[in-house]
């Protein structure tokens, strides 16, 4: 007999967005937080550079807003950017109250934060905890969450699909990975905080699990999605046969790092006057171009001209991790390649994080709020997670007293399925999907490649559908099902954009159109 859980609020995801929401709901609100693996498994834990916020006396909200809108290439929603940036110093205060120790200018107890510079920012405004900011935020939020009596944590749980009735969201079916059974979680409000979908690509900086589950679940439940053609590629992931997606923080370029070709020459100035400090998309495209032109497997990032002590104290994680692979960043350049990093598009939401489906919210990387437009500015994503967690918490708290309890819902029916005896289908399709997404829907696109990719994504989905109807669900099958669906949505968005803008660059339409428009997909009724 499968289990049945009842809560006021069900939060799917335990990254910065999910935990910050859980912690800001009223203390008498019964909250469930789900995570696919450990609580710290999402991208949040791996964030290195930091979080952008207006903290320096020489900085202004207007300047941060202008930089964000410039990076977003005409598609940011100005009211959203103003809202998020306007709340930035408030969420920093909240994080400090939760116990996050950001670096200070004077590490012996000074009050002022140490701020770094990153691509696209015209000011030093990135607050950080050395080069492991995500770890510091994640650890503090997990600690606070575990101390709260009203929050129940469910790890190793994978949400399969949302439960809807009478036009509202009422919970989710959830796989318990340990027992293999699917349980029913019912709640008055559900929040998707499941992170992004960069696992759709062969090379990614994201941890396992970034398979776009929230986007796919929301789409299946009837919500619109937007701007999924804008997948950000981080320009510099460590290139080493034994390194699985280790990111070399952008802050290294902010601190004077040079990008070099294998012959030791610099090249960024040929592409942008800002050189290595150009926005990510420009840098990623330049590297892609140079790698294709020279036939090299990688380029190099050199910071060895900086004092060794500075590098060791400001970038201890990068320094240590590179040493593990025999690379001493204080003496030699680091081999790097671009990798899929951030999903700018997602589930369409308003300023409170509400989706098209009543009582369903989407926050963090899963959502498309209008903050990032066609290109996310570095370090704005943790900020977005925290600001939207705060506004969704306020909205849910206000609506809770009148919210209708969920209706009775059927349990998960497994009577027609058996255990799979051909898991090779799943692993083969995973590889195929991620490779054609990399080759055909990558940094530089063409109509032909996108059409090919669409055809393959649709074929894969048919095969997966058949498999899904015949066999018991597993984590890998659920992720593949979601990735294939989100891949199709990404491709459809890319095909419908007949121009190049921000992160979407196509050889067939290299110029930007005069008017910038969002791509919005609406599910068939
Ligand atoms: C290497 C790296 C470095 C980065 N550096 C920075 C940085 O310096 N500054 C910055 O602003 N941003 C950075 N980013 C981006 C930023 O970290 C993410 O956008 C942000 O942390 C996303 O937070 P989130 O809460 O939306 O999702 P995540 O932190 O990814 O959490 C997702 C959660 O959802 C759970 N989940 C997913 N699907 C399901 C399901 N079906 N059922 C149950 N649970 C599910 C996962 O288990 C996880 O708990 C970086 C990202 C990476 C990968």
């Amino acid at each position: 007999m499968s289990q049945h859980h009842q809560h006021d609020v069900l939060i799917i995801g335990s990254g910065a967005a999910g935990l910050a929401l859980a912690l800001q709901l009223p203390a008498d609100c019964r909250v469930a937080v789900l995570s696919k693996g450990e609580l710290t498994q999402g991208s949040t834990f791996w964030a290195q550079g930091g979080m952008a916020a207006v903290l320096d006396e020489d900085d202004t909200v207007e300047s941060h807003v202008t930089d964000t809108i410039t990076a977003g290439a005409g598609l940011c929603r100005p009211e959203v950017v103003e809202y998020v940036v306007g709340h930035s110093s408030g969420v920093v205060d909240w994080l400090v109250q939760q116990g996050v120790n950001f670096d200070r200018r004077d590490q012996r107890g000074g009050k002022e934060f140490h701020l770094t510079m990153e691509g696209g920012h015209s000011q030093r405004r990135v607050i950080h905890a050395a080069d492991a900011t995500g770890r510091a935020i994640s650890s503090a939020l997990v600690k606070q969450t575990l101390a709260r009596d009203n929050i129940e944590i469910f790890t190793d749980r994978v949400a399969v699909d949302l439960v809807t009735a009478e036009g509202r969201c009422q919970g989710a079916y959830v796989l318990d990975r340990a027992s293999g059974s699917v349980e029913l979680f019912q709640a008055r409000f559900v929040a998707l905080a499941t992170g992004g979908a960069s696992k759709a690509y062969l090379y990614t900086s994201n941890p396992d699990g970034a398979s776009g589950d929230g986007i796919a679940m929301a789409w299946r439940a009837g919500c619109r999605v937007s701007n999924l053609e804008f997948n950000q590629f981080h320009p510099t992931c460590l290139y080493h046969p034994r390194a699985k997606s280790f990111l070399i923080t952008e802050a290294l370029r902010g601190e004077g790092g040079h990008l070099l070709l294998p012959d030791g020459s610099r090249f960024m100035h040929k592409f942008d006057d800002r050189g290595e400090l150009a926005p990510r998309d420009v840098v990623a495209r330049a590297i892609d171009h140079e790698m294709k032109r020279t036939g090299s497997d990688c380029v190099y990032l050199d910071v060895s001209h900086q004092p060794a002590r500075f590098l060791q104290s400001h970038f201890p994680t990068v320094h240590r991790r590179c040493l593990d692979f025999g690379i001493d960043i204080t003496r030699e350049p680091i081999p790097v390649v671009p990798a899929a990093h951030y999903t700018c598009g997602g589930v369409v939401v308003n300023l409170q994080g509400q989706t098209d489906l009543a009582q369903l919210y989407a926050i963090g990387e899963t959502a498309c709020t209008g903050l990032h437009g066609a290109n996310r500015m570095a370090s704005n994503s943790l900020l977005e997670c925290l600001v939207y967690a705060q506004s969704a918490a306020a909205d849910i708290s206000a609506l809770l007293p009148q919210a209708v309890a969920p209706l009775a819902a059927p349990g998960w029916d497994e009577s027609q399925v058996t255990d799979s005896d051909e898991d090779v289908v799943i692993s083969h399709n995973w590889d195929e999907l991620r490779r054609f997404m990399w080759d055909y829907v990558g940094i530089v696109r063409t109509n032909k490649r996108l059409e090919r990719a669409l055809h393959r994504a649709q074929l894969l989905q048919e095969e997966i559908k058949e498999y899904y109807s015949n066999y018991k669900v597993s984590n890998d099958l659920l992720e593949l099902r979601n990735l294939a669906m989100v891949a199709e949505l990404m491709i459809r968005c890319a095909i419908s954009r007949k121009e190049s803008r921000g992160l979407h660059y196509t050889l067939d339409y290299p110029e930007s159109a005069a008017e910038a428009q969002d791509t919005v997909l609406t599910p068939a009724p």
Side-chain angles (χ1 to χ4, degrees):
M1 175 72 182
S2 85
Q3 290 223 43
H4 183 170
H5 307 263
Q6 289 270 3
H7 294 87
D8 293 319
V9 182
L10 170 65
I11 301 173
I12 307 177
S14 62
L19 294 186
L21 169 59
L23 287 167
Q24 292 175 91
L25 289 167
D28 61 353
C29 170
R30 289 167 307 122
V31 182
V33 175
L34 309 183
S35 151
K36 271 188 189 176
E38 298 287 305
L39 282 179
T40 51
Q41 190 200 297
S43 289
T44 298
F45 186 83
W46 298 100
Q48 293 180 355
M51 189 177 93
V54 180
L55 299 165
D56 192 277
E57 57 188 25
D58 292 335
D59 198 6
T60 59
V61 168
E62 291 71 36
S63 162
H64 189 167
V65 166
T66 303
D67 291 346
T68 303
I69 288 177
T70 305
L75 279 181
C76 296
R77 276 186 235 150
E79 72 282 10
V80 169
V81 183
E82 278 158 25
Y83 179 79
V84 172
V85 174
H87 284 78
S88 62
S89 64
V91 296
V92 170
D93 290 343
W94 184 80
L95 284 172
V96 171
Q97 284 162 22
Q98 305 311 306
V100 182
N101 274 322
F102 291 110
D103 283 10
R104 307 277 172 166
R105 269 191 211 166
D106 172 0
Q107 289 293 12
R108 287 159 302 186
K111 284 222 168 68
E112 285 176 85
F113 293 112
H114 181 269
L115 303 170
T116 56
M117 181 84 169
E118 287 193 351
H121 293 273
S122 59
Q123 296 276 341
R124 282 185 170 262
R125 64 165 74 96
V126 180
I127 186 170
H128 64 108
D131 60 352
T133 311
R135 177 191 289 254
I137 293 178
S138 196
S139 311
L141 298 186
V142 165
K143 191 170 165 205
Q144 296 291 340
T145 305
L146 293 175
R148 290 281 290 268
D149 292 337
N150 66 317
I151 304 176
E152 218 179 324
I153 304 286
F154 297 87
T155 52
D156 285 321
R157 298 301 212 287
V158 188
V160 179
D161 261 320
L162 298 169
V163 177
T164 60
E166 296 188 335
R168 59 198 162 92
C169 186
Q170 313 211 344
Y173 291 109
V174 176
L175 169 71
D176 177 347
R177 293 174 76 171
S179 69
S181 62
V182 177
E183 303 173 345
L184 173 62
F185 278 72
Q186 288 195 295
R188 289 162 201 262
F189 294 95
V190 177
L192 297 167
T194 50
S198 287
K199 271 275 162 186
Y201 288 94
L202 186 59
Y203 300 111
T204 173
S205 65
N206 284 202
D208 289 344
S211 45
D213 296 6
I215 299 171
M217 283 190 277
W219 174 259
R220 286 194 290 267
C223 299
R224 284 169 306 152
V225 298
S226 182
N227 291 352
L228 282 165
E229 67 274 39
F230 300 119
N231 207 95
Q232 187 167 66
F233 289 81
H234 196 286
T236 55
C237 264
L238 179 61
Y239 178 71
H240 189 280
R242 281 187 293 114
K244 195 182 170 198
S245 323
F246 183 70
L247 186 123
I248 305 296
T249 174
E250 203 144 20
L252 276 175
R253 282 186 283 121
E255 296 301 340
H258 297 158
L259 281 165
L260 306 177
L261 292 175
D263 66 4
S265 60
R266 287 177 74 181
F267 58 90
M268 270 313 302
H269 60 278
K270 287 193 289 178
F271 295 87
D272 196 289
D273 289 345
R274 289 164 288 186
E276 278 83 357
L277 283 181
R280 282 192 178 154
D281 59 319
V282 178
V283 180
R285 234 178 357 256
I287 296 176
D288 187 65
H289 179 91
E290 289 300 302
M291 281 172 57
K292 286 192 173 125
R293 188 181 67 79
T294 59
S296 50
D297 292 333
C298 64
V299 295
Y300 295 85
L301 179 62
D302 190 13
V303 279
S304 61
H305 49 282
Q306 299 286 17
R309 201 176 295 162
F310 169 80
L311 293 173
Q312 283 155 1
S313 66
H314 278 74
F315 303 102
T317 312
V318 173
H319 179 244
R320 229 182 2 253
R321 192 85 180 114
C322 286
L323 273 184
D324 290 344
F325 296 107
I327 303 156
D328 182 350
I329 68 167
T330 66
R331 301 156 67 99
E332 60 194 316
I334 312 163
V336 291
V337 283
H341 185 56
Y342 186 82
T343 313
C344 289
V347 184
V348 174
V349 295
N350 65 12
L351 272 184
Q352 287 70 43
Q354 292 174 337
T355 67
D356 290 340
L357 181 62
Q359 288 163 225
L360 178 69
Y361 291 72
I363 53 173
E365 197 171 331
T366 300
C368 182
T369 62
L371 174 69
H372 307 304
N375 188 6
R376 172 187 76 125
M377 190 167 68
S379 292
N380 264 352
S381 42
L382 284 172
L383 176 63
E384 183 190 47
C385 286
L386 288 150
V387 172
Y388 273 83
Q390 194 178 56
S391 66
D395 199 56
I396 294 172
S397 307
L399 295 173
L400 255 176
Q402 308 92 45
V404 193
L407 302 170
W412 185 254
D413 181 6
E414 284 198 328
S415 57
Q416 307 295 317
V417 294
T418 58
D419 284 320
S420 158
D421 57 359
E422 44 177 341
D423 279 358
V424 64
V425 174
I426 299 182
S427 54
H428 175 88
N429 285 345
W430 256 98
D431 292 346
E432 187 182 334
L433 175 89
R434 298 181 66 209
R435 186 165 284 282
F436 76 65
M437 285 298 287
W438 183 260
D439 289 340
Y440 297 161
V441 197
I443 296 172
V444 177
R445 298 160 179 180
T446 64
N447 284 343
K448 253 193 191 148
R449 290 184 212 157
L450 291 175
E451 292 294 346
R452 281 197 184 113
L454 181 64
H455 181 61
R456 279 173 169 74
Q458 287 169 340
L459 281 179
L460 272 188
Q461 283 188 86
E462 277 169 33
E463 211 169 280
I464 294 163
K465 195 168 162 196
E466 192 199 324
Y467 195 93
Y468 184 78
S469 338
N470 291 322
Y471 297 112
K472 283 188 180 164
V473 294
S474 64
N475 180 57
D476 285 354
L477 172 58
L478 293 172
E479 288 189 342
L480 175 66
R481 175 177 175 244
N482 292 331
L483 268 187
M485 170 161 283
V486 176
E488 180 184 335
L489 298 174
M490 287 171 167
I491 301 164
R492 280 171 53 190
C493 285
I495 287 176
S496 67
R497 186 165 291 284
K498 308 285 185 217
E499 60 162 350
S500 290
R501 181 178 297 278
L503 297 164
H504 175 74
Y505 183 77
T506 162
L507 295 176
D508 291 305
Y509 313 101
E511 303 300 327
S512 294
E515 200 189 331
Q517 279 185 349
D518 289 322
T519 312
V520 182
L521 302 182
T522 308

